[in-house]
Amino acid sequence: MRLIVLSLLLSAVSAAPLMAAEPAPSAQSAAATPLVIGETFTIESKALGETRRINVYRPQPWGLDPKTPLPVLYMPDGGIGEDFLHVAGLVQVLTGNGSMRPFLLVGIENTERRRDMTGPSSEAEDRKIAPRIGGSAAFRDFLRDELMPQVRQRYPTTDERALIGESLAGLFVVETLLQEPTLFNSYIALDPSLWWNRSALLSGAGKQLPSVARSGARLFLASSGQPELAASSARLAALLQQSSPATLVKYQPLPEETHATIYHPAALQALRALFPAPPASP
C-alpha cells in the first residue's frame, strides 16, 4: 500500500510542472496598430480666439472614385468622444447600401459648447447654464469664414452643404436657418432647444420665413417624447407649413425616444429623406 501511495505522489509531482506551464506565444502574433477611420486637423480660429479640432470622414462605397468631389455635412458636437463616430457610421452604412448619396462628414469638436450653440438671452436661468453664453454668431462666423474655406482647400468638395445638430446644437441649426438660410442647403434639427431665451426664435420666426423660402433651404425636424421640446418643434413645423411649406421636408415626432436617445434614429431618417441616392442603373 505504501508503494502505491508513494507512486501516486511522485506521479502528481512530476505532472505539476506540465500543468502549470503557460503556452508559448505564437510566432505569428503581432503588435496591435491604430484603427484609422478618417482624418483630424486643427485650425486657429480668429473668430473664436482659440484652436479648434476638426474630424473628417469620407465614405468610400464601391465604385466611388477617391477624387470625386463630395457635398459636405457639417456637425457641431463632432468630437471622437461626442457624436462623430455614430454619425460617421450612419454615413458609411447608408452610402454603402445605397440609401443616401455620399457626403464628406466634418465634425467640430467642442470647447465651450453652451457658449457656441446659444444666442444671447435675457433670461436669468439661461445665463446660469455656463460661464459664457451667446456665442452663436461668432461660431457661425467661424464656420463660414474659416472652416469652410479650409475644407474646400483640403478636400474635393461640391458647393452643396448641410448642417446637423441635436439639442442646443439643434437650436443653432434652427437659428442659422432663420438668420442666414443660404449658408447651408439643408438643415437637420433634432430635438432643438427652442425654449432658449423664452422661445425668442419661435416668436420672431414669422418675419424671417420669407427669406428662408426664397433661399430654397430645406429642413428635417424631429422631436422626442419630452413634452416641452415636442411642443416647440411642432409649433415650428406648423409655422413652416404655413409660410414656407417647401422648406420643411419632414417633421418627424419620435415619442418613443428620449432626449438622450433621439440622435441616432432621427439622423438615420433625416439622411435618407434629404439625401436619397439616385436609382441604380438597370
Side-chain angles (χ1 to χ4, degrees), residues 38-56:
E39 297 182 355
T40 185
F41 64 90
T42 59
I43 180 170
E44 297 293 331
S45 172
K46 293 181 180 178
L48 300 173
E50 62 188 11
T51 302
R52 299 304 293 261
R53 178 162 295 281
I54 310 301
N55 299 312
V56 181

Side-chain angles (χ1 to χ4, degrees), residues 202-261:
L202 282 174
S203 300
K207 297 179 181 179
Q208 297 165 311
L209 287 178
S211 63
V212 172
R214 289 192 298 271
S215 73
R218 305 181 304 157
L219 171 69
F220 182 100
L221 178 65
S223 61
S224 71
Q226 187 166 327
E228 182 181 8
L229 296 175
S232 59
S233 293
R235 183 180 166 196
L236 175 62
L239 287 171
L240 288 167
Q241 287 283 30
Q242 294 171 7
S243 304
S244 181
T247 297
L248 187 66
V249 173
K250 189 173 186 180
Y251 169 48
Q252 183 63 66
L254 295 171
E256 70 279 11
E257 301 296 342
T258 68
H259 192 59
T261 65

Side-chain angles (χ1 to χ4, degrees), residues 2 17 28 50 64 84 106 112 120 173 176 181-182 223-224 233 270:
R2 289 181 179 178
Q28 296 182 351
E50 62 188 11
L64 180 66
F84 181 77
V106 176
E112 293 186 55
V173 170
T176 302
T182 59
S223 61
S224 71
S233 293

Side-chain angles (χ1 to χ4, degrees), residues 125-146:
E125 289 301 311
D126 290 352
R127 294 196 295 271
K128 291 178 181 178
I129 73 167
R132 293 193 289 176
I133 62 170
S136 58
F139 190 74
R140 205 159 24 251
D141 290 343
F142 163 69
L143 290 178
R144 182 199 323 104
D145 301 331
E146 297 176 335

Side-chain angles (χ1 to χ4, degrees), residues 3 12 30 44 50 53 56 58 68 78 82-83 92 102 104 110-111 113-114 151 154 167 170 194 197 215 229 254-255:
L3 289 175
E44 297 293 331
E50 62 188 11
R53 178 162 295 281
V56 181
R58 179 187 170 95
T68 299
E82 298 165 338
D83 291 307
Q92 185 270 331
L104 185 74
N110 284 312
T111 55
R113 181 178 189 264
R114 293 178 175 180
V151 170
R154 290 171 176 267
S167 191
L194 297 173
N197 192 25
S215 73
L229 296 175
L254 295 171

